[in-house]
């Protein structure tokens, strides 16, 4: 009997992975996971790689039956890593594409060699993967937008003049995030309650994000808030604002990824909140999909709970869509700290010790 894993069965203990062990004996070949870089987010090294490894081991694969690699920001490396993994016997790829161009190349190569692909975290536009595994990225954007609105209200910014920033245009996730927060902000802009000051080109490179912000801020002195799509981009902007004498809890800035610096900026009042995506859930979902595919089985509908449009191929891709959370000082302790995503002893150092105490976080 084929084991059934559902989205709701995924948890911090990885217990659902052990139920997949019968599939390990039925499957053929190796599983290769290829992550994109270490710049757009530190998460890939700190969390995705170890969680994928933990999940694959718990599901019954031996270390010789899988690999987890990082392309270090190079399209050529990501493609060659995929080709090499297939040559070495991979029958399933878990692949987070640096961009859709290389993603589609990899998926075309995989398809011609009878290898199934799971798009991990980012969807390959124009691709040919079997499944997509991510958080609901429009929901991520909605949380950022709603978080911004709540923050502007609580910080008493009566007329938000907002710079609306975006992630890299080559990343489909960045497009989906923007869909979510643009929908929240659009009625506020059209009613005149908020002012849309500008929309820079977008990037996942923090120094570029800082220069985009500086140019806009220099040109438009009325900017009193910024919607930033992740913590890494927000951090240098916050440092810049601090150098300009901007006080805590006066200039709304948003984020995503629940990074150490993002959480510390939230504690100190310089960032409104962050979207937390429990990566251990995403990694386990990818492992489950890979184990079903490797064994020639169809993943259950309790796991594949949605569809995502590939806007280039015009096809709906069967998807595992997980639920993100908006984190502020009020729920930081029960989410990122409880999950040990960021250890309290790392977070609550120096001047942040008192902020942690106020937020109910104990070391």
């Amino acid at each position: 009997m084929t084991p059934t894993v559902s989205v709701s069965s995924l948890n911090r203990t990885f217990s659902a992975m052990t139920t997949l062990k019968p599939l390990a004996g039925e499957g053929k070949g190796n599983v290769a996971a290829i992550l994109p870089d270490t710049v757009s987010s530190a998460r890939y090294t700190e969390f995705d790689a170890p969680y994928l490894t933990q999940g694959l081991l718990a599901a019954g694969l031996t270390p010789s039956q899988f690999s987890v690699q990082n392309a270090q920001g190079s399209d050529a490396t990501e493609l060659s890593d995929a080709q090499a993994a297939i040559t070495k016997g991979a029958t399933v790829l878990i692949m987070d594409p640096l961009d859709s161009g290389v993603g589609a190349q990899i998926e075309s190569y995989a398809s011609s060699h009878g290898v199934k692909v799971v798009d991990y975290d980012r969807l390959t536009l124009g691709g040919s993967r079997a499944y997509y595994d991510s958080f609901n990225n429009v929901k991520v954007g909605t949380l950022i937008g709603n978080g911004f609105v709540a923050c502007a209200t609580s910080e008493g910014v009566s007329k938000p003049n907002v710079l609306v920033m975006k992630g890299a245009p080559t990343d489909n996730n960045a497009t989906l995030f923007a869909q979510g927060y643009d929908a929240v902000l659009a009625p506020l802009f059209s009613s005149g309650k908020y002012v849309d000051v500008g929309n820079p080109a977008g990037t996942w490179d923090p120094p570029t994000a800082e220069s985009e912000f500086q140019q806009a801020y220099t040109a438009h002195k009325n900017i009193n808030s910024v919607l930033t799509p992740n913590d890494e981009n927000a951090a240098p902007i916050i440092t810049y604002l601090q150098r300009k004498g901007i006080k805590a809890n006066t200039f709304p800035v948003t984020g995503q990824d629940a990074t150490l610096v993002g959480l510390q900026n939230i504690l100190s009042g310089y960032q409104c909140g962050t979207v937390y995506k429990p990566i251990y859930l995403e990694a386990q979902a990818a492992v489950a999909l890979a184990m079903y595919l490797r064994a020639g089985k169809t993943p259950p509908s309790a796991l594949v709970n949605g569809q995502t449009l590939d806007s280039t191929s015009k096809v709906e891709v069967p998807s595992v869509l997980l639920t993100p959370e908006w984190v502020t000082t009020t729920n930081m302790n029960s989410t990122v700290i409880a999950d040990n995503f960021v250890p309290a002893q790392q977070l609550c150092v120096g001047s942040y010790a008192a902020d942690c105490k106020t937020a109910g976080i104990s070391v």
Side-chain angles (χ1 to χ4, degrees):
M1 186 173 156
T2 303
T4 297
V5 166
S6 65
V7 167
S8 61
S9 71
L10 305 176
N11 58 34
R12 292 172 186 158
T13 69
F14 283 63
S15 59
M17 298 298 94
T18 60
T19 67
L20 294 169
K21 281 184 175 178
L23 296 178
E26 293 183 49
K28 293 185 176 67
N30 302 330
V31 174
I34 303 173
L35 301 170
D37 61 30
T38 53
V39 174
S40 66
S41 180
R43 58 170 278 189
Y44 294 116
T45 305
E46 290 179 37
F47 302 105
D48 296 85
Y51 283 147
L52 286 164
T53 299
Q54 184 180 347
L56 289 160
L57 288 170
L61 296 189
T62 64
S64 63
Q65 290 177 305
F66 69 87
S67 60
V68 181
Q69 295 168 280
N70 192 301
Q72 298 297 338
S74 164
D75 279 354
T77 301
E78 191 157 34
L79 177 59
S80 64
D81 282 350
Q83 291 171 332
I86 290 168
T87 301
K88 289 176 187 170
T91 52
V92 181
L93 293 184
I94 297 169
M95 192 261 304
D96 187 336
L98 260 168
D99 54 66
S100 288
V102 72
Q105 271 185 285
I106 288 168
E107 289 173 9
S108 174
Y109 185 87
S111 178
S112 69
H113 288 76
V115 172
K116 302 288 189 186
V117 180
V118 174
D119 272 352
Y120 181 74
D121 202 63
R122 294 174 181 146
L123 185 71
T124 295
L125 298 178
S128 53
R129 80 271 85 194
Y131 293 93
Y132 173 48
D133 167 36
S134 191
F135 286 83
N136 183 328
N137 291 310
V138 175
K139 174 74 171 169
V140 169
T142 305
L143 289 174
I144 292 171
N146 287 334
F148 178 88
V149 172
C151 186
T153 303
S154 69
E155 293 189 357
V157 182
S158 56
K159 182 82 167 184
N161 285 255
V162 194
L163 185 69
V164 182
M165 303 187 76
K166 292 180 170 63
T170 54
D171 178 4
N172 188 58
N173 280 7
T175 304
L176 298 175
F177 302 150
Q179 254 180 49
Y181 53 73
D182 285 346
V184 173
L185 296 178
L188 295 161
F189 288 143
S190 61
S191 71
K193 192 175 179 186
Y194 284 16
V195 177
D196 184 357
V197 182
N199 301 265
T203 181
W204 286 133
D205 177 59
T208 305
E210 182 185 7
S211 66
E212 283 184 349
F213 178 80
Q214 283 187 26
Q215 286 170 19
Y217 193 62
T218 303
H220 305 280
K221 298 295 186 190
N222 59 326
I223 291 174
N224 59 11
S225 51
V226 57
L227 187 147
T228 40
N230 76 346
D231 298 350
E232 301 279 358
N233 281 11
I237 291 168
I238 288 169
T239 302
Y240 173 76
L241 290 169
Q242 288 168 336
R243 287 200 305 269
K244 291 286 184 184
I246 300 295
K247 303 287 185 225
N249 302 303
T250 64
F251 193 109
V253 182
T254 56
Q256 176 188 177
D257 292 329
T259 64
L260 174 62
V261 68
L263 296 171
Q264 288 177 334
N265 282 330
I266 293 166
L267 286 171
S268 62
Y270 282 97
Q271 187 172 313
C272 299
T274 187
V275 177
Y276 171 48
K277 298 177 292 192
I279 294 166
Y280 60 87
L281 300 178
E282 189 177 19
Q284 288 177 79
V287 167
L289 289 170
M291 294 301 290
Y292 286 114
L293 289 171
R294 182 176 172 273
K297 309 282 189 186
T298 301
S301 57
L303 179 65
V304 182
N305 63 348
Q307 292 190 317
T308 305
L309 176 67
D310 178 339
S311 56
T312 299
S313 300
K314 309 293 186 208
V315 295
E316 292 284 355
V317 182
S319 305
V320 180
L321 298 176
L322 301 155
T323 303
E325 298 177 81
W326 181 248
V327 169
T328 65
T329 54
T330 59
N331 65 341
M332 199 179 287
N333 193 48
S334 62
T335 53
V336 290
I337 302 302
D339 286 351
N340 206 33
F341 188 75
V342 174
Q345 61 268 27
Q346 230 182 314
L347 180 67
C348 305
V349 294
S351 62
Y352 301 107
D355 297 323
C356 278
K357 196 172 181 184
T358 304
I361 299 166
S362 53
V363 178

